[in-house]
Amino acid sequence: MTDILELSTRQLIAAFNSRALSPVEYMSALISRIEASEPKVRALWLFRPEQALEDARASEDRYLQNAPKGRLDGVPVTVKELIATKGDHVPQGTAAITPFAASEDAPTAARLREDGAIIYAKTTCPDYGMLSSGLSSFHQLSRNPWDLTQNPGGSSAGSGAAGAAGYGRLHVGTDIGGSIRIPAGWTGLFGLKPSFGRVPIDPYYTGRVAGPMTPTVDDAAILMQTITRPDWRDATSLKHENIDWDAGPVELRGMKIGLMMEGGCGNPVHPEIADAVQNAARMFEENGATVVPVAPVLTREMLDGLGMAWAARVWSMISKLEPGARDRILPYIRDWAATGAETSGPEVAAGFEQVFTMRRTANEALHGLDAIISPVNPDRSFPAELPSPTNDPRRNFEHIAFTVPWNMGEQPAASAHCGMTSTGIPIGLQIVGPRFEDLAVLRIARTWEEMRGPVTDWPRFDRP
């Protein structure tokens, strides 16, 4: 174990169980890496190294007694700031909210603690989680470790930055229109947006899910074993299934996979991204799959309608704040949400109806297919200081055409690293499966990882 921080989650757990490595040794090394890296990356909030070491010592004692608390005992993990942890403020990325202490852990945090995982920090997100950016009026500006001038994506911005910078293996983000896959794509991680309801979440909302952001599919599979366990608080959750998340790669021969190269609206796909995704499609074909072109799912009417409904929803929250508090919101978000005040009730209702139109078209697109592959992000990246690729609050969602339909359709969708741009930013390949076929998506992604080979050049700031 020449570099313990590069162990996979499975290797780490085995080392803890065999006592070849202690949770205290690992946590101490991780804290050193974070302290060397965080002044540049700025992915974390509520980083508590002293508490983390105390938790690691308690875990070490349990291993010495051959009584680990659960499958993740002693394993460090981060959760996105929007996921409540007992006793901590949940600012939702904005300086406008009066501080308060959460009364209990949200479902994902609760399941992690039950299994002995050490939640050593939370990760940053933009105001109200409504940007694909690391820009926030509350948090420090998170940056992409591959190029610190560039954005990590969002809204799980800190999760993507932390995962790429090597802050442990396990990170949990949330996703309502691409907020796991978009940063995973730009930071080279594997990110899974599960089927809606697969991972219990609270508060819940149409299309909102929690899921893993990890260096490999296997890390995510281990995390899914924990965070999918049931929680009564989520009235939208699926009935719990005992899924074999450890199932290996899938045989591609005989599979029919759709290739979607156009988003239907929004920003055009950059040629370098198109080349990387088409190369992935050729690799699927060479390994036995039948790859067929498929039309885009989204239309301008769908995207604008949903954006209108979202803006009205966020404005309804902002309008309840005192004027002074509203002034503390990121101006870009405030200006975008204010467009919701300009719409009538019938217009908002019609906009929200586009959710069900997307659901129908997403379902139709997958009919007769085992999966669809596409780009995750049409853009190569954008500067860290900007709120979105367009920097225009009236064109806030031009980059989510490939991701948002699967939130509204409730299908599982993942981002997997499939190449690098000439500017040095990872490219994400999206893998989408039929509703409830989360394991199939994981297995296809495992197969892709085998075809692609391991990622070995992760950015590190604790080395010469």
Side-chain angles (χ1 to χ4, degrees), residues 177-407:
S179 291
I180 286 172
R181 291 154 291 158
I182 288 170
W186 277 324
T187 59
L189 298 175
F190 176 75
L192 174 65
K193 180 206 80 68
S195 293
F196 182 70
R198 177 71 69 201
V199 176
I201 195 168
D202 182 41
Y204 46 83
Y205 187 73
T206 302
R208 184 172 185 254
V209 300
M213 298 177 68
T214 59
T216 69
V217 177
D218 193 58
D219 295 315
I222 292 172
L223 191 51
M224 287 292 282
Q225 295 174 39
T226 293
I227 63 176
T228 54
R229 290 205 306 272
D231 192 294
W232 69 270
R233 290 171 291 178
D234 186 353
T236 67
S237 62
L238 301 175
K239 183 179 180 181
H240 179 66
E241 297 181 64
N242 290 317
I243 294 172
D244 181 13
W245 297 107
D246 287 336
V250 69
E251 171 59 57
L252 292 178
R253 195 165 304 279
M255 295 189 73
K256 188 175 182 181
I257 296 176
L259 174 62
M260 183 182 294
M261 292 303 304
E262 294 182 13
C265 58
N267 293 343
V269 178
H270 190 279
E272 291 182 356
I273 295 169
D275 287 347
V277 173
Q278 288 167 340
N279 181 61
R282 284 191 291 271
M283 292 175 70
F284 276 100
E285 283 186 315
E286 290 167 2
N287 283 271
T290 299
V291 177
V292 298
V294 294
V297 169
L298 204 66
T299 65
R300 172 55 59 185
E301 184 180 10
M302 293 178 199
L303 185 60
D304 288 351
L306 180 62
M308 180 190 303
W310 276 351
R313 178 174 181 260
V314 175
W315 183 254
S316 73
M317 295 186 283
I318 291 175
S319 63
K320 297 173 186 175
L321 300 172
E322 296 294 327
R326 293 181 208 171
D327 293 340
R328 294 194 290 272
I329 298 170
L330 193 73
Y332 182 97
I333 285 291
R334 191 175 61 241
D335 292 347
W336 164 72
T339 63
E342 303 169 2
T343 55
S344 66
E347 287 174 327
V348 172
F352 190 74
E353 281 296 315
Q354 295 302 320
V355 167
F356 304 101
T357 305
M358 272 188 249
R359 182 166 182 155
R360 177 177 293 278
T361 57
N363 184 61
E364 289 173 348
L366 278 157
H367 182 64
L369 299 176
D370 294 291
I372 288 174
I373 58 175
S374 77
V376 172
N377 301 307
D379 305 280
R380 292 190 298 180
S381 71
F382 62 103
E385 293 79 10
L386 295 185
S388 74
T390 63
N391 196 26
D392 181 351
R394 289 185 177 268
R395 299 174 62 242
N396 195 26
F397 300 120
E398 298 302 294
H399 56 290
I400 68 171
F402 287 105
T403 55
V404 70
W406 315 115
N407 291 80

Side-chain angles (χ1 to χ4, degrees), residues 17 45 79 108 136 159 264 267 299 308 375 382 408 428:
N17 277 293
W45 182 58
V79 297
T108 45
S136 162
S159 303
N267 293 343
T299 65
M308 180 190 303
F382 62 103
M408 301 305 115

Side-chain angles (χ1 to χ4, degrees), residues 84-162:
T85 48
K86 185 176 180 179
D88 296 325
H89 177 38
V90 186
Q92 299 181 52
T94 180
I97 296 177
T98 302
F100 69 96
S103 60
E104 58 186 353
D105 286 332
T108 45
R111 300 294 85 74
L112 289 166
R113 293 198 208 272
E114 288 168 0
D115 272 357
I118 300 173
I119 301 176
Y120 71 87
K122 302 186 79 171
T123 49
T124 65
C125 70
D127 291 55
Y128 296 101
M130 292 306 298
L131 289 178
S132 296
S133 169
L135 188 62
S136 162
S137 65
F138 181 86
H139 296 295
Q140 57 190 348
L141 176 63
S142 296
R143 295 177 178 272
N144 193 323
W146 294 89
D147 179 346
L148 294 171
T149 71
Q150 296 298 293
N151 220 289
S155 63
S156 302
S159 303

